[in-house]
Amino acid sequence: MFQFSTLTIVLLLLAFYGGTYLLSLLIKKDKETTSGFMVAGHGVGFGMGAASMTATWIWAASFYAAATSGYKYGVSGPIHYGFWGALMILFIYPFGKRFRELAPNGHTLGELINARHGSSSQLILAVSNLMGSLISLMVNFTAAGALVSVLSPLSFQTGVIVAGVGVLSYTLTSGFRASVFTDFAQLIALMAIGAIIIPLILFSMGGPSAMVSGLPNLTLQQQDFFSSEAFFLQGAPYFVAVLAYAIGNQTITQRLFAIKETKIKSTFFTATVGYAGIVIGLGMIGLMALTVGIEPLNGDMNNLIPQMVSTYLHPVFIGLFFILVIGALSSTADSDLSALSTIMMADIYGKNIAKGKVKPKTMILVGRTTMIVATVLGLIFASFKLDILVMLVFVGALWGAVVFPVIASVFWNRVTNVAFTSSVVVALIFFCIARFELVPITGYTALFFEVMASVGAAVVIGLMVFGFLGRKMGLFAAAITLILMLIYATGFLRQYMVLVASLTAYGVSTIVCVVVSLMGDEHFDFDLIKQRVGNYDKPKVNAQSKTNA
């Protein structure tokens, strides 16, 4: 395999991160506001918004996990990764509109939940977001380390450190504004280089005929476009996981609050198409490797894409590919840093430490300090070299516990703070029991989890239909899904415990949230949210003083 010299790889890294840092200086403001640092003043337009959304969703995992999916599951693998991920960008749109309607001046989903329920529910959401964003940061740094170690004499740890310091350098200057601005440039590079590199690898290995001739070497399941193995082990768990990502991930909701309210629909539809096209293409690299019999270097699936590129491409294109992946992982890592800083600024400091009596300078200091600490933690966690695809499904399932309580809280006035908190906690307990099989999953125990998973599947489908077609159609879709699942899934689904655990998180949280809410007598006034979520840079003016004026 081809490798760059140490000097060449260092120059490439310096060129990318140095150029990105200089770009961020163009938008640096002498006096940064908290709103600007967290959500770019709620004024991001369609072009920048769509580019940022696409670049953020296309991260290191879009390369490595998409290729892993193609390699493990064959011809349907890239579809099961790219299509479902794209669909989730689309399905967050109707719920995102509701978030902005309730809290037009918001910065995090946690602020909205704080205004709806109070601190305990908000902290549950904040902690889950902190965990998820840290793991996402770790995944991106892991990808950088794998890339550098395969394509150069430098070590995995060196690649991790350079990526961490490089991303921190430009994100620290202007926060979210720097993330959005650099995302635009990174997406242009992603599209241009991806359109060249993927076909080049295909034709360098012999063209479509080489792939076709290698298909007989695949298993029957890998050859089948409608593979049940691919669906139950990859497609369905990922489908469930990315819905949770769309609702629970602050990098997504941060963009919902940053984009101009009138541009949300066009932004998310465009990002859906852009993501699908690029990521399905990247997943094809894994399928190419499978058909020609490539074995992942050192048995590590994270090495698969760098290995294919260094085997089949000219050094010039390998250099372009290097920039492509570094840009992809950096665009998401800077979004993770911005998300983490915003959570600490708004959810932890603003709502729980300062209790609304915020000092803007202190708030921005909290944000920048968070970025530094998060980078250090991400570098430490990256050294564990965990499997990216496994981490994705695990975090997505954890976030699955908050999906129904969050959506119900912004549409149904009966949801109580106790219902929100208890539903998430109980769902996480049952998820862990199923995911790690803490008790023997046999007999009636297995049947119980299959029933909970069936409820979870009904919730997932019902929520998606509800978002676009309304409450009646959502309930109808959920009922049909539940009946079909109870008929066909019981006695069968226990073979796929990763999927069972993910769906159980949805099912249990929904049941507990609904039951506990109906036991209470709350009828919340949603107009209160707009009053309770505001701008930290300006002193709040109460309704009485407005009347007097």
Side-chain angles (χ1 to χ4, degrees):
M1 290 193 307
F2 176 85
Q3 280 195 329
F4 290 110
S5 66
T6 300
L7 177 62
T8 302
I9 211 79
V10 168
L11 288 175
L12 284 171
L13 287 166
L14 284 175
F16 176 80
Y17 284 118
T20 309
Y21 177 72
L22 291 175
L23 276 176
S24 69
L25 290 181
L26 294 175
I27 57 168
K28 183 180 179 181
K29 294 191 174 182
D30 293 331
K31 189 175 181 182
E32 185 67 82
T33 63
T34 60
S35 179
F37 194 83
M38 289 191 284
V39 290
H42 308 285
V44 177
F46 163 69
M48 283 288 186
S52 181
M53 192 70 207
T54 307
T56 296
W57 207 247
I58 298 175
W59 55 323
S62 301
F63 286 75
Y64 293 86
T68 298
S69 186
Y71 190 84
K72 282 185 175 180
Y73 304 112
V75 294
S76 66
I79 301 295
H80 280 304
Y81 190 92
F83 180 73
W84 300 128
L87 207 57
M88 290 309 101
I89 303 177
L90 181 64
F91 277 113
I92 185 58
Y93 149 68
F95 303 117
K97 281 189 65 179
R98 178 64 173 171
F99 298 158
R100 282 298 294 274
E101 178 188 328
L102 294 177
N105 295 316
H107 309 87
T108 71
L109 187 56
E111 287 179 312
L112 193 157
I113 296 300
N114 178 280
R116 175 70 173 85
H117 291 305
S119 294
S120 60
S121 295
Q122 178 208 17
L123 287 174
I124 283 177
L125 195 61
V127 169
S128 69
N129 266 291
L130 288 171
M131 288 175 57
S133 291
L134 272 175
I135 291 174
S136 174
L137 201 61
M138 175 204 75
V139 166
N140 284 287
F141 292 160
T142 300
L147 183 69
V148 169
S149 65
V150 170
L151 295 182
S152 79
L154 296 175
S155 67
F156 172 85
Q157 287 76 14
T158 302
V160 167
I161 292 170
V162 171
V165 173
V167 171
L168 179 64
S169 66
Y170 68 83
T171 312
L172 204 59
T173 58
S174 300
F176 180 75
R177 188 183 288 108
S179 175
V180 171
F181 189 68
T182 54
D183 278 348
F184 185 81
Q186 288 160 354
L187 180 65
I188 298 301
L190 273 170
M191 294 173 68
I193 300 173
I196 298 170
I197 287 198
I198 296 169
L200 273 178
I201 294 176
L202 175 61
F203 286 103
S204 295
M205 58 180 264
S209 59
M211 288 185 67
V212 173
S213 63
L215 288 177
N217 299 325
L218 277 59
T219 66
L220 291 177
Q221 284 288 321
Q222 288 174 331
Q223 294 177 34
D224 185 1
F225 187 79
F226 299 101
S227 166
S228 60
E229 182 179 287
F231 177 76
F232 285 109
L233 293 179
Q234 165 64 38
Y238 187 60
F239 175 73
V240 173
V242 290
L243 173 61
Y245 264 81
I247 297 295
N249 193 333
Q250 171 60 17
T251 63
I252 307 301
T253 52
Q254 192 169 13
R255 280 155 181 77
L256 280 169
F257 286 116
I259 295 166
K260 291 178 182 177
E261 200 164 350
T262 56
K263 302 297 182 183
I264 291 177
K265 181 177 180 179
S266 56
T267 295
F268 279 78
F269 272 82
T270 304
T272 298
V273 176
Y275 175 91
I278 295 173
V279 173
I280 291 173
L282 292 169
M284 293 299 292
I285 297 178
L287 178 59
M288 295 175 201
L290 177 66
T291 56
V292 296
I294 294 287
E295 291 291 332
L297 187 66
N298 300 324
D300 187 351
M301 298 297 287
N302 295 340
N303 290 331
L304 194 59
I305 282 190
Q307 192 177 342
M308 286 288 288
V309 169
S310 64
T311 301
Y312 288 107
L313 292 186
H314 185 277
V316 172
F317 294 107
I318 297 175
L320 289 174
F321 168 78
F322 181 81
I323 296 297
L324 173 68
V325 182
I326 291 295
L329 66 88
S330 298
S331 69
T332 306
D334 62 39
S335 297
D336 288 323
L337 288 180
S338 296
L340 286 162
S341 66
T342 303
I343 292 167
M344 290 299 296
M345 290 167 73
D347 294 349
I348 307 300
Y349 171 74
K351 295 297 183 182
N352 290 283
I353 296 177
K355 302 289 186 182
K357 299 177 180 178
V358 168
K359 295 180 180 178
K361 287 185 177 179
T362 303
M363 196 175 207
I364 292 177
L365 178 62
V366 168
R368 290 195 165 116
T369 303
T370 299
M371 288 182 177
I372 296 170
V373 173
T375 300
V376 173
L377 291 175
L379 296 178
I380 293 171
F381 293 151
S383 65
F384 297 145
K385 295 186 179 181
L386 299 173
D387 185 285
I388 290 176
L389 195 57
V390 171
M391 294 303 300
L392 280 177
V393 173
F394 178 74
V395 175
L398 283 176
W399 272 335
V402 308
V403 171
F404 182 83
V406 165
I407 293 177
S409 293
V410 299
F411 286 99
W412 188 28
N413 64 358
R414 293 290 302 274
V415 181
T416 65
N417 182 43
V418 174
F420 188 104
T421 306
S422 59
S423 63
V424 174
V425 172
V426 174
L428 286 178
I429 291 171
F430 278 93
F431 162 73
C432 290
I433 292 172
R435 181 67 181 83
F436 303 110
E437 299 189 38
L438 300 179
V439 299
I441 310 296
T442 57
Y444 286 112
T445 304
L447 180 62
F448 169 78
F449 279 106
E450 286 175 332
V451 170
M452 290 298 102
S454 297
V455 174
V459 171
V460 171
I461 300 301
L463 286 176
M464 290 179 176
V465 175
F466 162 71
F468 286 97
L469 301 178
R471 182 171 60 89
K472 290 183 179 179
M473 289 301 296
L475 289 172
F476 177 75
I480 295 298
T481 304
L482 180 60
I483 293 169
L484 293 175
M485 287 292 292
L486 291 175
I487 294 172
Y488 294 107
T490 49
F492 164 76
L493 207 59
R494 65 192 67 180
Q495 301 174 64
Y496 306 98
M497 285 310 297
V498 172
L499 178 58
V500 168
S502 301
L503 290 173
T504 295
Y506 283 89
V508 170
S509 65
T510 300
I511 292 171
V512 174
C513 185
V514 170
V515 170
V516 176
S517 294
L518 291 175
M519 290 170 62
D521 192 33
E522 179 168 314
H523 291 80
F524 184 77
D525 180 2
F526 285 111
D527 289 337
L528 293 174
I529 294 177
K530 191 177 295 186
Q531 299 173 25
R532 294 171 179 175
V533 178
N535 193 333
Y536 295 104
D537 298 302
K538 298 176 183 178
K540 291 182 179 179
V541 182
N542 60 40
Q544 184 62 42
S545 59
K546 283 184 178 179
T547 303
N548 293 338

